[in-house]
Amino acid sequence: VHGKLEDAKKELKDEIDAEKDLAMKEGRNDGIEQGIEQGIEQGIEQMEILIQHLIINSRSDEIERAVTDKEFQKQLFEEFGL
């Protein structure tokens, strides 16, 4: 499960890196880069909190699906008020 979470984080980072390159090519200012970095940090923090909620609620078996299934992830975010 940890490996899959790391893979998901790397995939997200790669996607964001590509978006940052595009933003720079379009001449956007440094505020975009800072906003993206903050968004990544917030997203990672949100996933960490979600995983903690699943563990605390004896639902560790749902972690893998939460990391790989975006719709399920959204449902869990709503369920836990994240």
Side-chain angles (χ1 to χ4, degrees), residues 8-68:
K9 285 182 181 180
K10 183 185 180 323
E11 182 180 335
L12 177 60
K13 184 184 182 317
D14 290 345
E15 289 175 15
I16 296 301
D17 285 345
E19 291 212 15
K20 287 196 306 189
D21 288 343
L22 179 61
M24 292 300 185
K25 288 176 185 175
E26 293 174 355
R28 294 194 179 145
N29 63 26
D30 290 337
I32 297 289
E33 185 175 337
Q34 183 180 10
I36 290 172
E37 289 173 6
Q38 288 175 345
I40 291 171
E41 289 178 21
Q42 289 172 350
I44 290 170
E45 183 178 315
Q46 189 176 31
M47 277 303 298
E48 290 171 345
I49 293 169
L50 173 60
I51 290 169
Q52 289 172 359
H53 278 290
L54 292 173
I55 292 168
I56 289 168
N57 288 285
S58 300
R59 294 169 60 181
S60 297
D61 56 320
E62 296 179 36
I63 293 172
E64 183 175 353
R65 184 173 173 207
V67 172
T68 58

